[in-house]
Amino acid sequence: MDLHGSAAIVTGGGSGLGEATSREIVARGGRVTILDLGRSKGAEVAKSLGDAAQFCEADVANEAQVQAAVDATVAKFGLVNIVVNCAGIGTAGKTVDKEGKPFNLDLFRKTIEVNLIGTFNVIRLSAAKMQTNAPNAGGERGVVINTASVAAFEGQIGQCAYSASKGGVVGMTLPIARDFASVGIRVCTIAPGLFLTPMLMGLPEPARASLGKQVPFPSRLGNPEEYAALACHIVENPMLNGEVIRLDGAIRMQPR
């Protein structure tokens, strides 16, 4: 699919992986709706991208808010044919801690709600509109890209909720791709390793450097622009479908 003239929804587009992807899509001639929470920098990012972007405040797990963002995308750009799901939260805590206290069940539910249910909510509502697009010469009507994590495969101590949520994203990638095959919508998931996202940027520099050294090669933290480059390649390569791609410098996470 050609990025030039495309219209994308990028969740979590106010920072990190989502912001980098939004900027790269616009740089390649696309348009983008940045879907993020009101407290994010989504409106600022959209303003910096000019007429090629707009901001829609929404919680990814809220049906009405996401539907409004889909409708706003079609109203402004005439269609939606790309979705990149970057919105997510990170939580940490053992299933039962040293004091014998069980992990907070509400926090577990919230992690699943945002990372897994929110991703599915955006997919289902945007794809309902995508499938009405006229197909391109290759029969494509849309592309969906999700964000999992290497924690889906090698969850560390304290990542029970986060790994469960990201494992769910991995698990639904192929069946959703199969669901949409007949209408020409491709679905892939990127599983990043250690990236310079706002969560890691909050760590002291020595801590970030230490984490980077755990990556076999290149021995550093990933840059959001590298995620954005892969997301754009997935859009442009029609044979990428139903796949989960690790973007991690060959790291395999240890228990802690």
Side-chain angles (χ1 to χ4, degrees), residues 9 54 64-77 80 129:
I9 294 173
Q54 66 175 340
Q65 292 175 7
V66 172
Q67 185 62 63
V70 172
D71 293 343
T73 303
V74 175
K76 183 173 177 66
F77 303 130
V80 54
K129 185 63 68 174

Side-chain angles (χ1 to χ4, degrees), residues 156-191:
Q156 295 184 293
I157 290 170
Q159 286 191 316
C160 53
Y162 185 70
S163 293
S165 69
K166 294 301 187 177
V169 173
V170 168
M172 72 182 181
T173 300
L174 181 58
I176 294 177
R178 288 172 166 173
D179 282 350
F180 292 151
S182 62
V183 293
I185 298 173
R186 293 187 288 115
V187 182
C188 282
T189 292
I190 300 173

